[in-house]
Amino acid sequence: MRQHDTLFIGGEWVTPAGTGTIDVVSPHTEEVVGRVPDGTAADMDRAVAAARQAFDQGPWPRLTFAERAAAISRLAEVYAARLGEMADLITEEMGSPITFSQLAQAPQPLGMLQYYAELGTTFQQEEQRPGLFGPTTVRREPVGVVAAIVPWNVPQFVAMTKIAPALLAGCAIVLKPAPETPLDAYLLAEIAQEAGIPAGVLNIVPAGREAGEHLVSHPGVDKVAFTGSTAAGRRIGSICGEQLKRVSLELGGKSAAIILDDADLAASVGMLAIASLMNNGQACVAQTRILASRNRYDEVVEAVAGMVTSQQVGDPADPATGIGPLVARRQQERVEGYIRIGMEEGAKVVVGGLDRPYDRGWYVAPTVFSGVSNDMRIAREEIFGPVLAVIPYEDEADAIRIANDSDYGLAGSVWTADADHGMDVARQVRTGTYGVNCFMLEANAPFGGYKSSGVGRELGPEGLAGYLEHKSITRLG
């Protein structure tokens, strides 16, 4: 078992203020695989003080962008050396299939570090603009101390969408990992320490909701960067709004994949195995609404059902596994609750249902519903599990209407033989990230949502801008 007795604060491993602990339980075996301290408000105070010291008096925010980029590049080199260890650890603590961990859970955070390290070599802190009364200097300065609060589903990916740009901007960070997945954050702390990131620039305190809210409300925090549920995002947004504190929120989704009649169905559905079921369906960008025309509806339902049944369900450490367990018993019960709701609403279970694949582990049978209308709860609410709803549409305009008829707007895709036409469809769907015959996130492009899917953008230059204040200086003479 992985046992940690300290917290990473001020560049050192320190004794926590309290005696509480967090057990990390394997979703596959239901056995305790790790234990870490349960951070308290006092620990958050200490972490914010360390970050405050590093920002207000330390060298980090006073370095040039190029100097910070060099430090991030060193961090990336150390991270790369432990990539396999990171992938294995995330699979162990939250049940992500090892193939997905090796594809996304560890390599994509590394890619973000590498992207921002490269961006920093050319990014200009100051820009000169001609003005009506004289030359104006536009200066970019770090926002300050950042509270980064991340979920359990893709813990390193989400952490790095915040840490990498915040580091380049010159901020100091307090990272609060989710109680379900703190182990990877400890490995990140070791990597940061080995890479020589200055003391106090990155502090890590695992904790529950109460200590997390204390961190959000802390007067020493200048910005909160949060990824998680829309309900929690509303609470955090209200606190930050009351305090006039900078905030970015990446929240839930209920994304639609539109399959047009000219699409290569076998190829499209094959790609949807990732777009719809990635990480056991525990992804905010998962395309869990599959939109099919009435002309090909039965054919699409059959193809989607075949794709789902072809996924091996089992041990996430087995490379042959396509779908592993859900992160916790409460998540298993939540997803099964939605399957029950779908049945009660009149949708038809094509594959899956309420029979659990295994007696041990928090597994749910991957499920496909047909006969779904877009007003059903299973079509409107984020389930966060391997449950797909195939929804019929009349024509292309109706498909776009259904895709947009959602409280969310985080992701989506269209599948067609005519990629140029697919671009026309993409421009009409109100969502932050879209794919034509694919779905992926690029480190150099902004990621975030419309509507209840969040506020602000991460990744790309736009992600860096969220950690910068812009100052205008006009002079005469």
Side-chain angles (χ1 to χ4, degrees), residues 7-41:
L7 303 171
F8 188 65
I9 297 175
E12 298 178 344
W13 296 99
V14 305
T15 302
T19 59
T21 58
I22 296 171
D23 284 345
V24 183
V25 181
S26 163
H28 173 59
T29 66
E30 300 186 36
E31 296 173 354
V32 176
V33 295
R35 183 170 292 125
V36 303
D38 188 0
T40 65

Side-chain angles (χ1 to χ4, degrees), residues 7 53 94 124 129 154 246 251 254 258 278 302 360 436:
L7 303 171
Q53 172 81 11
M94 64 78 53
Q124 297 298 307
R129 299 181 187 175
V154 278
R246 276 70 176 142
L251 308 176
K254 192 68 180 180
I258 300 173
M278 68 178 85
E302 182 179 359
R360 185 184 70 169
V436 178

Side-chain angles (χ1 to χ4, degrees), residues 258-269:
I258 300 173
I259 301 179
L260 297 182
D261 278 346
D262 66 349
D264 181 329
L265 189 55
S268 300
V269 170

Side-chain angles (χ1 to χ4, degrees), residues 84-256:
E85 184 180 355
M86 184 66 80
D88 290 344
L89 187 56
I90 294 173
T91 288
E92 181 180 21
E93 66 182 343
M94 64 78 53
S96 183
I98 189 61
T99 51
F100 184 75
S101 291
Q102 293 169 343
L103 173 71
Q105 294 276 25
Q108 288 200 8
L110 172 60
M112 292 177 219
L113 286 172
Q114 293 168 332
Y115 169 76
Y116 282 107
E118 178 64 26
L119 181 62
T121 63
T122 58
F123 196 84
Q124 297 298 307
Q125 183 162 14
E126 294 187 353
E127 171 192 345
Q128 304 299 320
R129 299 181 187 175
L132 181 62
F133 302 105
T136 298
T137 298
V138 177
R139 178 175 170 82
R140 300 168 181 90
E141 299 179 350
V143 72
V145 171
V146 174
I149 302 175
V150 302
W152 46 260
N153 62 326
V154 278
Q156 280 293 297
F157 177 93
V158 173
M160 212 57 75
T161 63
K162 298 157 179 44
I163 291 170
L167 287 177
L168 181 57
C171 299
I173 305 150
V174 178
L175 173 67
K176 191 200 86 67
E180 295 83 358
T181 54
L183 300 178
D184 62 280
Y186 275 83
L187 178 54
L188 175 62
E190 294 174 12
I191 291 170
Q193 197 171 38
E194 182 180 345
I197 298 298
V201 171
L202 177 61
N203 309 273
I204 298 177
V205 182
R209 181 175 298 177
E210 186 174 333
E213 184 158 325
H214 181 79
L215 176 62
V216 168
S217 305
H218 200 292
V221 169
D222 299 298
K223 170 175 174 155
V224 176
F226 171 77
T227 296
S229 73
T230 298
R234 288 193 175 102
R235 173 62 181 163
I236 289 170
S238 68
I239 293 171
C240 292
E242 184 176 313
Q243 297 182 355
L244 298 180
K245 183 178 293 184
R246 276 70 176 142
V247 64
S248 55
L249 305 169
E250 195 271 286
L251 308 176
K254 192 68 180 180
S255 303

